[in-house]
Amino acid sequence: MLNDSVLQQGAPNGGNESIGILLSISPFSNRKKPGPKPRPLHKRIYHPPKAVRWVERSYSQLKKVEVLMFLHNHWIAKDETKKIFHRPSYTDAEAFFKIPSSTISNWNQPKHINMLVSQGPASYGGTHAVLHHRWPELEERLFTQFLGRRGEGKVIRRGWFRRLATRLYRELYPDTLHLFRFSAGWFNRFLKRYHIVIRFTTNQASKIPEEFQNHILSWLRFNRRNSLPRNSLEKAHLITDVGRFRLSQICNMDETPIPFEFLSGKTYEMKGAKTVWAKQTRGGWDKRQATLILYVFADGLPRIKPKLIFHAATGAQVRRKEEALYDKRVTVEFNPTAYNNEALFLRWIEEELIKLEDWKDGGLLAIDAAEFHKTEKILTTLREHSIIPSMIPPGCTRLVQPLDISINKPFKELLRDYVDSYVELEEHAGKETWSVGDRRVMTTICVSRAWDQFCRESHHLVITSFRNVGLSLHPNGSEDHELSIKGIATSELQVGNGQELPEMGDTWEEERTLSTESDESEAVEYDLPVEHLD
């Protein structure tokens, strides 16, 4: 083995060339290369530490770094309003870590900090070792209550975990200055540690959309032809946004059923469970108990309140008893079937739609082809107010109706969260039984809150959905690359320039119905002229 004397003899004049040659053939060449240089404190990722419950008399390098990271990265609320925050003082750090402030002050001196940094990652265990926190008491109680709730057959969604974890944290760790965050990373690790998975309680099949391609193409061309500008001002977009319409003049409305209890869909359950069941508070409450009608506009701004239609043989009597409790941000109707009908639809047109300032000159109304949407009385009223009914082909609403493709699902997730939270708060306050009237009141409150939140946070979904289905694209075809319809390639949707499409005549004068048989012998009706269909 080479010794130090050999190395020194091979390095004349203090040079290092021979040393490098000898090291390349010596056993020292197996030594690992040094790792990366230690990062300064200000470049390290800060992870909130766990509050200390007892006094320590000696402190490791790891603890010193943890305290210094707290001083330089943590924020503390100035008061209970939690609107103003400040960096921790030595007194705050002393209260948090139970370490004398004088000791912390010494650690925070540049000389001491440089010494800690020079020790390298091995001295503080790396950032993951410092910050990989678990909240064992919180997680155990959260898991116990999860098992109890699933044992009762109740559906559990992410929102339930978030609400309960936040409440448990406040109870168990009141002195930790709000360090806990219900983050996706923590939640996913919690699910993995306790072998919890998301499961379906029901499953539904879906149709293949290819058979509807021609029907959708005809519908797109109908909209394009009827959106062409009528004068020079509209052509120059001085008074309009899309052909003859402003974005606020393009509307989509849709009816969707809602239950009093959300039991279908997914719930969290133990991994490997053979049966995934859900308990009903009352038979049938997980089925349609009301019809919710939402109204969206191409500019993403809400203009018309959501409408709820409840089942009641004598709606006037129910309204007198409960109306004062309903949320004023929704409109409520009653009928024996809890479905929309011609009378309610006509009243909505006359009392709400045409009262809008932008709709005094008409608009484009995208609706499904329900029979009560196409009665003579409805079509006459629409014609009198220059409103074009864009009837979505039957079977295609889930492909080209903005509310169906992008809005109803996230909105119902919000609604479900609000309903679960409302029920939990009421039951926590001692409520044991629910009447139908209680559920009606709850539904109006939860719908209004969910819709307000959706409109604040997700209005961009509304704008995008109108463009994806072509309702707010330029009628000259210059924006057709933005078309995005599920199951149909954009290259197959050659809609064309509205001015070059075949003449359709006056849709009010030449209203016709064309029935075609699909592959499944299903009648498809259009309120379009025959010559417009390819």
Side-chain angles (χ1 to χ4, degrees), residues 67-359:
V67 173
L68 292 175
M69 293 288 285
F70 176 85
L71 282 175
H72 293 278
N73 296 277
H74 198 71
W75 290 96
I76 297 177
K78 186 175 182 180
D79 50 36
E80 295 182 355
T81 62
K82 298 179 184 178
K83 293 182 179 179
I84 301 176
F85 293 80
H86 63 85
R87 292 292 188 191
S89 63
Y90 292 139
T91 304
D92 294 327
E94 178 181 11
F96 189 86
F97 290 99
K98 306 297 188 293
I99 299 175
S101 58
S102 58
T103 303
I104 297 175
S105 174
N106 290 334
W107 294 348
N108 199 34
Q109 299 305 314
K111 180 179 179 180
H112 201 98
I113 292 177
N114 292 335
M115 182 183 69
L116 288 175
V117 173
S118 65
Q119 298 293 329
S123 66
Y124 58 85
T127 55
H128 291 289
V130 174
L131 301 175
H132 186 65
H133 284 299
R134 294 183 184 178
W135 309 88
E137 296 177 70
L138 182 150
E139 292 188 5
E140 289 175 9
R141 290 183 57 176
L142 185 62
F143 179 63
T144 300
Q145 295 201 33
F146 162 76
L147 292 179
R149 188 173 177 86
R150 282 304 301 145
E152 298 172 358
K154 294 184 177 180
V155 172
I156 297 178
R157 305 288 290 183
R158 185 189 180 98
W160 179 85
F161 279 110
R162 183 182 65 252
R163 293 190 300 273
L164 182 57
T166 304
R167 186 167 71 246
L168 289 175
Y169 170 76
R170 291 172 181 169
E171 295 175 4
L172 296 172
Y173 309 98
D175 301 323
T176 53
L177 304 180
H178 307 284
L179 295 182
F180 176 74
R181 294 291 181 271
F182 189 88
S183 63
W186 174 85
F187 183 57
N188 290 334
R189 289 193 296 271
F190 166 78
L191 296 178
K192 186 176 181 179
R193 283 192 288 271
Y194 288 89
H195 307 287
I196 301 173
V197 293
I198 186 75
R199 295 281 300 277
F200 275 104
T201 58
T202 59
N203 194 9
Q204 295 180 349
S206 58
K207 281 188 175 181
I208 300 174
E210 284 80 359
E211 61 185 282
F212 302 121
Q213 182 169 331
N214 291 334
H215 308 325
I216 291 174
L217 187 59
S218 298
W219 176 74
L220 291 170
R221 288 175 174 171
F222 170 82
N223 294 334
R224 184 150 297 179
R225 182 64 181 172
N226 283 279
S227 299
L228 291 174
R230 297 165 296 184
N231 52 54
S232 58
L233 292 177
E234 292 179 351
K235 289 180 180 179
H237 297 292
L238 297 178
I239 59 175
T240 60
D241 301 308
V242 181
R244 61 183 286 190
F245 301 117
R246 292 184 290 274
L247 291 176
S248 57
Q249 290 178 286
I250 304 174
C251 175
N252 174 221
M253 62 157 289
D254 184 38
E255 301 91 356
T256 183
I258 58 171
F260 284 160
E261 270 187 326
F262 290 87
L263 301 180
S264 61
K266 293 181 179 180
T267 181
Y268 285 98
E269 179 59 283
M270 291 303 299
K271 189 175 182 180
K274 301 296 182 182
T275 304
V276 183
W277 67 290
K279 183 180 178 181
Q280 294 182 349
T281 302
R282 185 167 173 176
W285 275 10
D286 61 327
K287 309 299 181 184
R288 174 196 287 266
Q289 294 296 328
T291 294
L292 171 65
I293 310 178
L294 297 176
Y295 312 94
V296 291
F297 296 81
D299 59 358
L301 299 179
R303 291 179 171 82
I304 299 179
K305 299 177 182 179
K307 187 186 298 294
L308 283 165
I309 306 174
F310 292 112
H311 174 274
T314 55
Q317 182 178 354
V318 176
R319 188 183 294 276
R320 284 195 300 271
K321 183 180 178 181
E322 301 174 357
E323 187 172 24
L325 302 175
Y326 295 158
D327 196 294
K328 305 305 179 185
R329 293 169 291 180
V330 300
T331 56
V332 177
E333 299 288 354
F334 296 92
N335 64 36
T337 62
Y339 281 85
N340 200 6
N341 55 34
E342 181 187 19
L344 291 177
F345 185 48
L346 183 62
R347 189 192 308 168
W348 172 76
I349 295 172
E350 295 177 338
E351 297 181 4
E352 297 184 64
L353 182 62
I354 63 176
K355 299 294 184 182
L356 297 175
E357 181 67 26
D358 290 347
W359 281 71

Side-chain angles (χ1 to χ4, degrees), residues 304-521:
I304 299 179
K305 299 177 182 179
K307 187 186 298 294
L308 283 165
I309 306 174
F310 292 112
H311 174 274
T314 55
Q317 182 178 354
V318 176
R319 188 183 294 276
R320 284 195 300 271
K321 183 180 178 181
E322 301 174 357
E323 187 172 24
L325 302 175
Y326 295 158
D327 196 294
K328 305 305 179 185
R329 293 169 291 180
V330 300
T331 56
V332 177
E333 299 288 354
F334 296 92
N335 64 36
T337 62
Y339 281 85
N340 200 6
N341 55 34
E342 181 187 19
L344 291 177
F345 185 48
L346 183 62
R347 189 192 308 168
W348 172 76
I349 295 172
E350 295 177 338
E351 297 181 4
E352 297 184 64
L353 182 62
I354 63 176
K355 299 294 184 182
L356 297 175
E357 181 67 26
D358 290 347
W359 281 71
K360 292 181 178 180
D361 298 326
L364 181 67
L365 179 62
I367 50 179
D368 57 49
E371 289 300 322
F372 67 87
H373 287 162
K374 303 184 292 183
T375 65
E376 185 61 32
K377 184 179 294 186
I378 294 296
L379 294 177
T380 300
T381 303
L382 294 175
R383 179 174 65 247
E384 290 174 351
H385 295 90
S386 302
I387 298 174
I388 298 174
S390 174
M391 299 287 181
I392 299 172
C396 300
T397 55
R398 62 190 175 89
L399 301 176
V400 294
Q401 178 157 247
L403 279 160
D404 276 342
I405 64 174
S406 301
I407 301 167
N408 284 341
K409 183 177 179 180
F411 169 74
K412 282 191 173 182
E413 287 295 323
L414 279 177
L415 177 60
R416 182 175 194 155
D417 203 14
Y418 275 106
V419 168
D420 289 346
S421 179
Y422 186 95
V423 171
E424 287 175 20
L425 289 174
E426 289 294 312
E427 292 181 348
H428 184 71
K431 192 175 188 63
E432 297 181 356
T433 59
W434 292 81
S435 67
V436 175
D438 293 335
R439 291 285 176 163
R440 281 194 291 259
V441 172
M442 176 200 72
T443 302
T444 66
I445 294 172
C446 293
V447 165
S448 64
R449 292 175 179 174
W451 187 240
D452 282 352
Q453 181 176 342
F454 181 87
C455 293
R456 288 195 312 271
E457 300 176 356
S458 304
H459 64 279
H460 61 281
L461 290 179
V462 180
I463 298 172
T464 302
S465 63
F466 273 87
R467 296 189 70 80
N468 285 344
V469 301
L471 282 170
S472 58
L473 297 182
H474 199 287
N476 64 8
S478 61
E479 299 173 334
D480 281 2
H481 60 279
E482 294 188 39
L483 284 170
S484 178
I485 297 175
K486 183 179 179 180
I488 304 177
T490 305
S491 58
E492 298 176 359
L493 292 173
Q494 301 298 326
V495 185
N497 188 333
Q499 294 181 338
E500 299 173 359
L501 294 176
E503 288 291 337
M504 296 186 305
D506 188 340
T507 57
W508 308 119
E509 299 294 334
E510 300 180 26
E511 193 74 37
R512 301 182 186 180
T513 300
L514 173 66
S515 296
T516 60
E517 296 296 319
S518 69
D519 295 338
E520 297 181 3
S521 298

